Amino acid sequence: MMHHQLALRFLCDDGGIDVIFTLQGDPSLFVASAASQLLVHMLTFSVESETTKPLSTKDGDWPACAQMIIKHIEDSLQSSSSSHIEQSLNLLTSLFGSCCDTWTEVLWLGIAKQIESFWMEETVQAHHMLAKLLLKVAWSPVFCDTESGIWALVTSALEHLTPVQAGPLAVGIVRHYNCPQDVRIQALTVLLQPMDCILRAASQPLEYAGLLDESVSDPATVESLLSSKSSCVNLLCQTLAHLEELLSQMRFSVDLPYTSLLHSLTTILQFCNGFLRPASPLGSTISRNLINCFRVQRSALDVLAALSEKKACDTLLGSLFDVLLAYLESPNTNPTVLKKTFQATSKWLVRLRELSCSNSQWQQTEKILEDVFLVLQKRLCSPCWEVRDSSLEFLTDLIKSLRDQDEFRQSLLSSEVPRLTEDLLEDPESYVRASAVTAVGHLAFITYFAPESPATGNQYNKENTVAKLHEILSTDTEGFPRRAVISIFNKWVREGCIGQLEDTEQFVSRVIQTVKHDLDWEVRLGGLELIEVFSSQTVCRLCVLNCPYTSVSAVTGCIHQNSSLLIFCRAKVFNFLFQSLCDCDQPLGQRACDILLALRCRFYPVKTLKDSQVAEDSYAGHGIAWLQRTLRQGSLAQNILTDGGNRVDFQDPESMLLALGIIDLEELHDELNKSSDHVEKSPQSLLQDILASVGTIEENEADCY
Amino acid sequence: MPEIKVTPLGAGQDVGRSCILVSIAGKNVMLDCGMHMGYNDDRRFPDFSYITQNGRLTDFLDCVIISHFHLDHCGALPYFSEMVGYDGPIYMTHPTKAICPILLEDYRKITVDKKGETNFFTSQMIKDCMKKVVAVHLHQTVQVDEELEIKAYYAGHVLGAAMFQIKVGCESVVYTGDYNMTPDRHLGAAWIDKCRPDLLITESTYATTIRDSKRCRERDFLKKVHETVERGGKVLIPVFALGRAQELCILLETFWERMNLKAPIYFSTGLTEKANHYYKLFITWTNQKIRKTFVQRNMFEFKHIKAFDRAFADNPGPMVVFATPGMLHAGQSLQIFRKWAGNEKNMVIMPGYCVQGTVGHKILSGQRKLEMEGRQILEVKMQVEYMSFSAHADAKGIMQLIRQAEPRNVLLVHGEAKKMEFLKQKIEQEFHVSCYMPANGETTTIFTNPSIPVDISLGLLKRETAIGLAPDVKKPKLMHGTLIMKDNSFRLVSPEQALKELGLAEHQLRFTCRVHIQDPRKEHETVLRVYNHLKGVLKDYSVQHLPDGSITVESILIQATAHSEDQGTKVLLVSWTYQDEELGSYLTSLLKKGLPPSTA
């Protein structure tokens, strides 16, 4: 409605606007928020549609409706009711977040003094709202000038708000591309001060540089917050969350004192597990406050993981891994904390590799890896499925990023980890079995499939592993492990690990036969993906085999076509593809259709198809309905009946070539890509629903759940 | 005044998408995190923006509690924890933790498959979410942090369903989730002790219903199945893997045994084992009868119910098949339905609610011609029956629970507004407690009157008894002292002891007041007049005229000065300590009346 002058006038002239003002304070927060949004729309629309010249602070220039709303905002801001003030702050925040026109600056100039008084006189409790509003204004292009008054206001807010209140503002300001340097330093001080206090409380005298120059900040407020348990936990969690937000920003260009930050983080983690009990009074209070605090542990580990991407001091790596290993080893570590420790360890191990490539830190790396695998052995046998699963995920992560590093492979293969991982293929918990499948699948890359591995050529082990995974694919009662197997098989085939073309053909054929009757459609979908990879690889390989140096001529092309078609037929690819086309699970139909379309392009180049009158004729009547009927009549049997009553042999290349040519795959593709909602959303279907449901709904609804 | 705030983000005057925020003594707890089965747009999940506007989610919330595994209570959990970003602890019972991911996975598969949604939570997210879950035992007091504790009570309804008591200090809230006050074939009745919470948040699905006997419905169900099988038809019962399916299986198994029926009963492949596994694992959660007979015979190992193979659907002759999923939207149940729909001898019995858009919903709404994929029309000739077996407390049950727990306030959720209104009046009349029924997004504030235990020092007690009054439980008594709040405890001690303990020096605080008197005489004469006046009036007190010209009455000091601008007015400065507050105010009011003319 707020696109029409008439609607606006109706609301303003007939008292409707007063109702909306009142609704801002509605007991339902959804109504209140909608009222606020509506006022923003009204204000914006009124100014944009009813003014012709630039606006000034004089009332007379503004359209009537805008005047009413602005007056309401000003009155509310000056009122003694905190809820009225909060409503207006909310409204202003949405306004500055959504509208970047120059008139908003005029509006801001009128209220800025009042806004500042809220923290100067501490009259408003809703500090997070003030922070949000200031951020929206600071980020608005209207105020992009570094000379603009907003920065003075931000500085004043950062000075007067407590560290907890100022945190959200500080983090938004640090990220601001146009923030003046002195304001940025002030904001960074807010964020780093708690971390600096931790460092100073932990060590006397400081071994490493602190995070902040003592002269820039007065730590008294932060120290007093750190002294009480709940405020200490709150302040640290908030600070850590803000730091993680900053560090995870790809385009964050401000350099932080990473070394000291890392030192501070390890100190926090040591406080939390009781490994550090400093003599200083503040230090011992903080250590009492933090011991066993999972919330702080989780947040600190998140920041630690994010910090691995930054260039931090290498000298601290030893102590960092000491702390991480202590967490990995301790039986008191909470499962979520353990998972985060794994994530941080894996990231720092990758970082360690980069460093040991450049420095000669190999011995240190070897020791760390040994320790990691020792603790991993223990964790793989944990009675908690969460822990076993996180351990397997950690192992997979490590293999993915470090599999080409000799030292890593040696350490891993000389440990008990590979054997324990294989044992977990029979874990009672299906999540763990699935993760074990993925880990075993990746382990194979450094054992059986790696050319330089000592285990290479151990054909028995390789076949044994493949057989085990195949067994899981055909017999596991849960979907996750089966899905994991098919996805690992896909990865193997994609990376060309299975062997020669004939081996791959046999492998694919066998897997397809297993998955085509799987009850889980995602496993079947995995089977289709396997066909996709296999078919493109087959075509490529045949091309390279037959004519490595020449372009494909008509004759050689024909030969390739025939051989690849023969291979696909032998591997029983078409049977599965056509069956999937009519699967009642839609994603399968879509994928099968895509693959068939790609195959048809290969066997019937577009030109041939377009020119061919025969193809056009044969399309007629061979759309989706015909196909559905044809395939359904076959009742998923090996062979199906065509219209003519002749049996189609899925393994006969000629029949398949013909089938590819006569089915209207484009139409089928469009049909399948319609969401299944399209049937129920059609007016006819809706009408039927409405007619049929009269009278029956109420009883049905009562028994919802 | 301490208060408890409750804001339903879902289930406020509504069934489905349960999600209730409770703020109690500075702690914020989210009760359930459900989805609405009837929607597939934004309304499907609760609007969490309300929480995020208060800062970071994980910092704001102290914990999330899930009452049971139904999707309207846990369906939004992976979205909340993995996509919105909640990183804190989630509590649920052991069976709920085991079964919840199965239903979530089922739901994810349907959404991604049928609706083609890609921006949805993944299997990995479900798993990561479940790793954040802390499983609790019944009646185990779990300390979330130093102040907040929770405790689970048996709720019936489905395997693992629990009511939760949330307690901070002496304030507490009980959230029932869904519950059932009468035992069914496999579960017991809900139970809670007389915990007298400040607030009971109860479901009210059947707020106005006194439900007919469950036996009637069971008989009806058996009769329909029996008749169909007798005439050679096939019966399809679409069910979800766990829950109602087991109850119906027990029912049919017993009936088949009693009637010596031969027609085969099948259950979807894999699911019998899974269900069996969970019921064996959590046998203590079932009802007494099942637990008792468990040693001789496991009620979930059925003699007549066999695993189903897809080839069986084409077998001639009668049979009964339990197949998943329960809304006929995909998979095995839909495949069987397609095969059997055309024969009028067959029957499909829907034992639960069906979401709009599913084949289940269409046939329950009476559609007989269904448009399937590929513009095929499926004509439904088979009989379609809907039978409710959902296990919620009825009005009688809700009243029974209130009687049992004796709450100070009641708040209704998970029901329809009209029905809630009726129940609210009934509760207020019968129990004389306030009853609330906020809509979604509305905050209800309940003021609590917590009794805070305070230790009293021996010295103070001795002093009080020395005055003559021995402590008596029945006679409350006012006592003065200094309250020391330290390390989460409160102590009342004598002011002297407090000063000593805290190492503080004593400061005297004096109240002052200026009284203007019209008197043209010299200052010392005015003082004399005042002295004489007070001496005459305050006969029992020691009134003194000091050499420096001031007057004292006990600790009260009076000095007179001439007004700087008007010599005819004298200003009397009166000051006193708090011990003499009463006398001080009496004296000032006396002086304000002026001096009697006769005193000279």
Side-chain angles (χ1 to χ4, degrees):
Chain A
M1 295 269 287
M2 277 309 115
H3 295 289
H4 303 281
Q5 284 280 356
L6 279 175
L8 187 69
R9 243 171 265 149
F10 168 73
L11 281 174
C12 293
D13 297 347
D14 295 332
I17 199 164
D18 293 327
V19 178
I20 305 171
F21 288 150
T22 320
L23 284 177
Q24 277 186 292
D26 195 86
S28 165
L29 55 102
F30 301 131
V31 176
S33 142
S36 175
Q37 283 300 333
L38 182 57
L39 287 173
V40 171
H41 281 304
M42 286 171 72
L43 178 58
T44 319
F45 180 62
S46 161
V47 175
E48 282 167 8
S49 63
E50 296 180 333
T51 46
T52 45
K53 55 176 184 177
L55 292 166
S56 71
T57 39
K58 271 182 263 158
D59 271 356
D61 299 343
W62 294 73
C65 174
Q67 274 185 43
M68 286 166 91
I69 297 174
I70 291 170
K71 171 125 191 1
H72 170 75
I73 295 174
E74 286 170 348
D75 289 351
S76 306
L77 288 178
Q78 280 162 8
S79 84
S80 55
S81 145
S82 60
S83 65
H84 283 165
I85 296 176
E86 284 171 17
Q87 284 162 21
S88 281
L89 289 178
N90 251 336
L91 197 157
L92 288 168
T93 308
S94 339
L95 176 70
F96 286 102
S98 60
C99 180
C100 314
D101 284 332
T102 43
W103 60 267
T104 53
E105 191 180 6
V106 184
L107 173 66
W108 178 250
L109 288 175
I111 53 169
K113 268 276 159 249
Q114 182 64 33
I115 300 281
E116 190 178 15
S117 74
F118 290 142
W119 60 80
M120 298 298 278
E121 291 161 24
E122 295 182 4
T123 44
V124 165
Q125 294 302 310
H127 294 104
H128 59 276
M129 286 186 178
L130 285 174
K132 261 192 196 170
L133 174 61
L134 281 181
L135 279 177
K136 288 283 182 225
V137 178
W139 279 91
S140 165
V142 180
F143 300 87
C144 63
D145 185 3
T146 44
E147 299 301 313
S148 102
I150 182 68
W151 297 115
L153 216 54
V154 168
T155 310
S156 155
L158 287 173
E159 255 170 39
H160 286 88
L161 294 173
T162 67
V164 176
Q165 293 162 352
L169 176 63
V171 77
I173 290 302
V174 171
R175 285 162 50 191
H176 198 292
Y177 62 97
N178 213 13
C179 168
Q181 189 61 10
D182 54 334
V183 184
R184 177 169 287 145
I185 289 175
Q186 201 188 354
L188 273 176
T189 307
V190 170
L191 294 176
L192 293 176
Q193 202 160 43
M195 307 299 285
D196 187 58
C197 279
I198 291 279
L199 265 191
R200 289 179 196 281
S203 54
Q204 293 265 330
L206 265 185
E207 280 172 72
Y208 301 96
L211 283 115
L212 295 171
D213 186 346
E214 260 175 295
S215 60
V216 285
S217 60
D218 169 28
T221 325
V222 172
E223 281 178 5
S224 81
L225 284 171
L226 290 175
S227 309
S228 132
K229 181 163 178 144
S230 61
S231 62
C232 171
V233 171
N234 281 340
L235 176 66
L236 284 182
C237 283
Q238 187 189 294
T239 306
L240 290 166
H242 290 326
L243 287 172
E244 194 209 347
E245 199 182 327
L246 285 184
L247 291 170
S248 321
Q249 283 248 304
M250 291 294 281
R251 283 200 270 150
F252 180 62
S253 55
V254 181
D255 253 351
L256 295 177
Y258 292 123
T259 310
S260 303
L261 195 56
L262 181 61
H263 190 200
S264 183
L265 283 170
T266 50
T267 309
I268 291 178
L269 286 170
Q270 282 174 309
F271 274 142
C272 290
N273 68 358
F275 275 36
L276 196 66
R277 293 193 154 271
S280 78
L282 180 63
S284 69
T285 312
I286 296 176
S287 96
R288 257 203 319 278
N289 289 342
L290 290 185
I291 195 146
N292 260 338
C293 180
F294 299 145
R295 274 179 69 191
V296 174
Q297 287 176 354
R298 287 196 309 257
S299 308
L301 285 162
D302 281 338
V303 187
L304 201 60
L307 199 60
S308 69
E309 322 258 317
K310 307 288 171 189
K311 282 187 184 122
C313 180
D314 308 347
T315 49
L316 284 177
L317 283 178
S319 54
L320 165 71
F321 276 103
D322 284 346
V323 174
L324 288 173
L325 279 164
Y327 268 75
L328 291 177
E329 271 165 15
S330 165
N332 295 329
T333 307
N334 158 291
T336 312
V337 173
L338 184 75
K339 191 183 162 199
K340 289 194 185 278
T341 314
F342 274 137
Q343 282 166 349
T345 310
S346 135
K347 288 200 162 187
W348 277 98
L349 280 174
V350 175
R351 172 112 188 100
L352 186 67
R353 182 189 63 166
E354 287 160 13
L355 287 172
S356 61
C357 287
S358 52
N359 301 333
S360 54
Q361 287 197 338
W362 162 233
Q363 280 194 329
Q364 191 190 9
T365 312
E366 191 182 46
K367 175 76 180 72
I368 290 172
L369 281 171
E370 251 173 46
D371 291 345
V372 167
F373 287 127
L374 264 179
V375 76
L376 191 61
Q377 274 167 218
K378 249 190 251 169
R379 291 298 189 179
L380 285 170
C381 305
S382 162
C384 263
W385 73 262
E386 293 91 339
V387 173
R388 296 197 301 276
D389 192 76
S390 297
S391 310
L392 288 166
E393 286 180 336
F394 170 65
L395 176 64
T396 308
D397 263 2
L398 284 188
I399 301 174
K400 274 186 190 166
S401 27
L402 299 173
R403 80 184 210 202
D404 51 348
Q405 191 194 21
D406 287 340
E407 297 81 6
F408 168 76
R409 282 201 303 266
Q410 279 162 17
S411 295
L412 172 59
L413 295 176
S414 59
S415 74
E416 285 290 297
V417 169
R419 186 185 60 78
L420 290 169
T421 307
E422 280 207 28
D423 289 351
L424 289 177
L425 289 174
E426 284 157 30
D427 197 276
E429 184 62 46
S430 63
Y431 278 141
V432 180
R433 288 202 299 279
S435 296
V437 166
T438 312
V440 165
H442 280 85
L443 261 174
F445 286 120
I446 51 173
T447 52
Y448 319 126
F449 301 143
E452 68 278 28
S453 157
T456 312
N458 189 342
Q459 201 59 28
Y460 167 73
N461 276 341
K462 178 180 167 183
E463 278 166 14
N464 198 24
T465 304
V466 175
K468 261 189 197 163
L469 295 192
H470 204 107
E471 168 87 9
I472 291 172
L473 184 64
S474 45
T475 57
D476 202 302
T477 51
E478 299 281 344
F480 306 116
R482 301 201 305 271
R483 262 189 264 160
V485 173
I486 191 73
S487 112
I488 275 298
F489 283 172
N490 270 326
K491 199 165 173 53
W492 285 355
V493 172
R494 191 168 283 130
E495 298 208 12
C497 298
I498 297 298
Q500 296 304 307
L501 197 54
E502 298 78 47
D503 301 329
T504 315
E505 180 193 320
Q506 277 177 10
F507 178 79
V508 169
S509 165
R510 201 171 147 222
V511 174
I512 292 172
Q513 292 315 303
T514 312
V515 298
K516 73 177 188 185
H517 294 304
D518 202 294
L519 280 176
D520 186 335
W521 65 263
E522 280 166 300
V523 177
R524 300 202 297 278
L525 192 68
L528 288 177
E529 277 164 15
L530 186 69
I531 291 181
E532 202 171 16
V533 176
F534 172 63
S535 62
S536 63
Q537 271 190 356
T538 307
V539 174
C540 280
R541 283 196 196 184
L542 283 176
C543 224
V544 176
L545 275 178
N546 292 335
C547 41
Y549 306 111
T550 52
S551 59
V552 184
S553 69
V555 182
T556 49
C558 189
I559 296 169
H560 298 161
Q561 272 182 15
N562 287 341
S563 355
S564 52
L565 196 60
L566 205 63
I567 291 173
F568 296 150
C569 286
R570 274 206 309 261
K572 296 174 185 140
V573 160
F574 287 108
N575 189 348
F576 185 36
L577 283 174
F578 283 115
Q579 178 194 315
S580 302
L581 261 189
C582 301
D583 201 295
C584 60
D585 292 302
Q586 201 178 357
L588 284 167
Q590 287 167 337
R591 181 56 73 94
C593 192
D594 289 344
I595 299 172
L596 284 168
L597 272 168
L599 285 178
R600 195 177 66 185
C601 281
R602 200 159 290 287
F603 297 123
Y604 290 95
V606 183
K607 204 168 125 261
T608 342
L609 211 61
K610 269 187 186 157
D611 293 348
S612 159
Q613 190 58 45
V614 185
E616 264 177 39
D617 291 345
S618 57
Y619 268 15
H622 289 124
I624 183 149
W626 168 84
L627 184 76
Q628 296 262 350
R629 199 168 59 248
T630 309
L631 293 174
R632 285 260 160 68
Q633 279 166 357
S635 175
L636 308 181
Q638 274 290 318
N639 294 312
I640 54 168
L641 288 171
T642 62
D643 274 57
N646 300 318
R647 282 186 173 272
V648 173
D649 185 356
F650 281 114
Q651 284 175 267
D652 172 37
E654 269 180 45
S655 311
M656 287 303 101
L657 199 61
L658 191 71
L660 276 178
I662 63 170
I663 299 170
D664 190 350
L665 288 169
E666 277 85 7
E667 192 208 334
L668 197 58
H669 183 264
D670 293 345
E671 200 63 41
L672 285 165
N673 277 315
K674 280 182 195 160
S675 156
S676 66
D677 277 352
H678 84 275
V679 174
E680 79 206 34
K681 277 185 183 156
S682 70
Q684 187 64 23
S685 173
L686 276 177
L687 185 66
Q688 273 177 356
D689 270 1
I690 293 164
L691 287 177
S693 60
V694 176
T696 59
I697 281 296
E698 205 161 303
E699 189 197 352
N700 196 355
E701 221 167 33
D703 270 325
C704 268
Y705 309 100
Chain B
M1 203 165 183
E3 56 187 30
I4 296 174
K5 284 187 171 181
V6 183
T7 313
L9 296 182
Q13 303 183 3
D14 177 21
V15 176
R17 203 178 51 176
S18 284
C19 184
I20 299 138
L21 278 180
V22 173
S23 294
I24 170 172
K27 301 282 168 185
N28 297 303
V29 179
M30 185 195 272
L31 303 169
D32 280 335
C33 189
M35 50 142 309
H36 206 301
M37 305 276 270
Y39 297 125
N40 49 18
D41 51 22
D42 285 352
R43 291 169 296 174
R44 176 170 51 203
F45 296 139
D47 185 352
F48 297 117
S49 60
Y50 170 72
I51 315 176
T52 41
Q53 77 185 14
N54 293 328
R56 254 171 45 94
L57 202 62
T58 308
D59 293 338
F60 177 75
L61 276 184
D62 290 278
C63 72
V64 173
I65 295 173
I66 301 293
S67 64
H68 64 286
F69 62 66
H70 276 156
L71 289 178
D72 61 323
H73 293 259
C74 70
L77 195 59
Y79 169 74
F80 184 63
S81 75
E82 307 308 306
M83 295 171 92
V84 183
Y86 172 70
D87 212 7
I90 301 164
Y91 292 92
M92 52 178 83
T93 64
H94 283 276
T96 308
K97 183 175 180 181
I99 299 164
C100 190
I102 302 174
L103 294 195
L104 285 169
E105 178 64 18
D106 212 32
Y107 169 50
R108 182 197 67 81
K109 273 184 111 70
I110 296 163
T111 316
V112 177
D113 173 13
K114 286 289 141 188
K115 310 287 176 203
E117 283 189 38
T118 43
N119 184 21
F120 201 69
F121 56 75
T122 61
S123 296
Q124 180 69 34
M125 287 176 182
I126 298 175
K127 179 170 82 176
D128 289 341
C129 166
M130 294 324 290
K131 283 186 184 175
K132 292 177 183 167
V133 171
V134 182
V136 301
H137 293 287
L138 280 183
H139 305 157
Q140 171 199 4
T141 302
V142 179
Q143 210 70 42
V144 176
D145 58 35
E146 277 170 7
E147 290 101 31
L148 173 65
E149 60 182 47
I150 59 170
K151 190 174 177 181
Y153 290 96
Y154 192 76
H157 188 62
V158 287
L159 189 72
M163 306 193 264
F164 278 88
Q165 183 189 34
I166 301 113
K167 208 171 163 196
V168 184
C170 53
E171 291 174 82
S172 68
V173 171
V174 167
Y175 172 58
T176 65
D178 291 353
Y179 63 104
N180 188 12
M181 293 300 280
T182 49
D184 63 19
R185 291 264 161 185
H186 68 310
L187 297 173
W191 180 86
I192 194 162
D193 55 24
K194 206 172 277 307
C195 52
R196 297 193 179 95
D198 292 296
L199 176 67
L200 174 80
I201 304 175
T202 172
E203 68 134 325
S204 50
T205 321
Y206 291 137
T208 52
T209 326
I210 307 286
R211 304 210 74 197
D212 55 344
S213 144
K214 200 158 188 188
R215 297 216 170 270
C216 272
R217 266 173 292 146
E218 288 176 356
R219 259 202 308 274
D220 200 21
F221 169 76
L222 291 172
K223 194 173 147 227
K224 278 178 179 150
V225 174
H226 191 197
E227 278 171 5
T228 311
V229 172
E230 281 292 284
R231 64 168 180 261
K234 296 176 167 64
V235 182
L236 170 65
I237 309 169
V239 284
F240 281 101
L242 274 146
R244 225 156 285 162
Q246 280 65 43
E247 198 185 347
L248 296 181
C249 280
I250 296 177
L251 196 63
L252 276 191
E253 169 85 4
T254 331
F255 187 69
W256 248 238
E257 185 72 23
R258 202 172 67 226
M259 304 290 287
N260 198 19
L261 296 178
K262 295 286 177 253
I265 309 175
Y266 299 114
F267 204 111
S268 279
T269 338
L271 286 172
T272 18
E273 292 86 2
K274 201 186 275 180
N276 234 320
H277 170 70
Y278 287 120
Y279 278 95
K280 248 190 234 172
L281 203 61
F282 304 116
I283 193 74
T284 51
W285 286 79
T286 56
N287 68 24
Q288 219 175 1
K289 190 178 165 196
I290 289 192
R291 284 204 305 270
K292 262 189 190 165
T293 53
F294 183 68
V295 188
Q296 297 104 41
R297 189 173 82 82
N298 174 3
M299 287 284 267
F300 300 102
E301 267 167 16
F302 305 110
K303 189 172 136 194
H304 296 276
I305 304 174
K306 305 274 185 319
F308 180 74
D309 184 287
R310 60 168 68 201
F312 294 170
D314 296 322
N315 286 356
M319 68 174 84
V320 181
V321 176
F322 287 94
T324 58
M327 300 189 197
L328 283 181
H329 46 261
Q332 209 162 48
S333 62
L334 184 60
Q335 280 174 5
I336 301 171
F337 175 76
R338 280 176 160 170
K339 278 183 198 275
W340 294 358
N343 190 336
E344 62 274 13
K345 275 205 291 188
N346 298 340
M347 176 184 282
V348 57
I349 300 179
M350 308 293 299
Y353 175 74
C354 290
V355 169
Q356 189 168 11
T358 57
V359 172
H361 183 264
K362 283 179 192 291
I363 58 169
L364 281 181
S365 315
Q367 281 195 37
R368 283 292 170 263
K369 281 188 178 164
L370 302 176
E371 190 178 341
M372 309 301 271
E373 285 93 346
R375 298 197 198 108
Q376 276 200 332
I377 299 294
L378 180 69
E379 199 162 340
V380 182
K381 290 184 183 157
M382 76 197 300
Q383 292 179 58
V384 180
E385 293 289 342
Y386 173 73
M387 296 195 124
S388 151
F389 284 92
S390 73
H392 291 277
D394 61 3
K396 223 166 76 186
I398 297 170
M399 302 299 271
Q400 194 185 333
L401 187 86
I402 297 175
R403 202 166 296 121
Q404 220 168 308
E406 284 191 6
R408 295 188 185 96
N409 298 278
V410 176
L411 189 141
L412 303 177
V413 291
H414 201 282
E416 292 159 44
K418 252 192 294 176
K419 297 182 182 175
M420 278 182 176
E421 191 60 58
F422 177 80
L423 186 67
K424 174 176 146 50
Q425 284 173 11
K426 214 165 158 245
I427 291 170
E428 286 179 332
Q429 266 170 20
E430 190 164 337
F431 298 103
H432 308 291
V433 295
S434 303
C435 184
Y436 308 86
M437 39 174 283
N440 284 333
E442 259 180 41
T443 303
T444 299
T445 306
I446 289 148
F447 294 100
T448 57
N449 214 350
S451 50
I452 300 163
V454 174
D455 292 330
I456 299 180
S457 76
L458 200 62
L460 194 66
L461 262 184
K462 276 184 182 164
R463 202 164 74 181
E464 285 293 313
T465 40
I467 298 171
L469 289 169
D472 185 351
V473 189
K474 285 180 185 164
K475 286 182 191 159
K477 172 169 176 300
L478 196 66
M479 219 174 186
H480 293 275
T482 305
L483 188 70
I484 300 184
M485 298 189 281
K486 204 177 164 191
D487 302 329
N488 281 333
S489 74
F490 294 84
R491 278 187 315 126
L492 194 69
V493 297
S494 64
E496 301 79 41
Q497 194 183 335
L499 290 173
K500 208 171 133 191
E501 257 184 51
L502 301 170
L504 297 173
E506 189 175 354
H507 295 268
Q508 276 285 348
L509 189 71
R510 292 187 77 89
F511 299 96
T512 58
C513 179
R514 280 170 213 276
V515 181
H516 296 248
I517 293 180
Q518 293 300 325
D519 190 6
R521 275 167 268 221
K522 297 258 187 235
E523 279 157 32
H524 68 270
E525 288 172 33
T526 311
V527 170
L528 203 62
R529 281 185 74 199
V530 171
Y531 171 68
N532 288 335
H533 176 52
L534 294 179
K535 204 144 169 67
V537 179
L538 306 166
K539 288 202 172 72
D540 297 336
Y541 295 89
S542 100
V543 182
Q544 288 181 325
H545 189 185
L546 301 182
D548 67 349
S550 52
I551 306 165
T552 60
V553 185
E554 305 289 332
S555 74
I556 299 163
L557 186 74
I558 304 164
Q559 289 165 315
T561 48
H563 199 282
S564 55
E565 285 164 16
D566 172 14
Q567 290 296 317
T569 304
K570 298 288 171 301
V571 182
L572 296 179
L573 181 72
V574 188
S575 77
W576 64 93
T577 65
Y578 80 96
Q579 287 96 335
D580 282 327
E581 206 188 334
E582 247 173 88
L583 184 63
S585 43
Y586 172 70
L587 221 149
T588 45
S589 58
L590 189 73
L591 291 172
K592 273 179 189 165
K593 285 180 192 158
L595 298 171
S598 57
T599 46

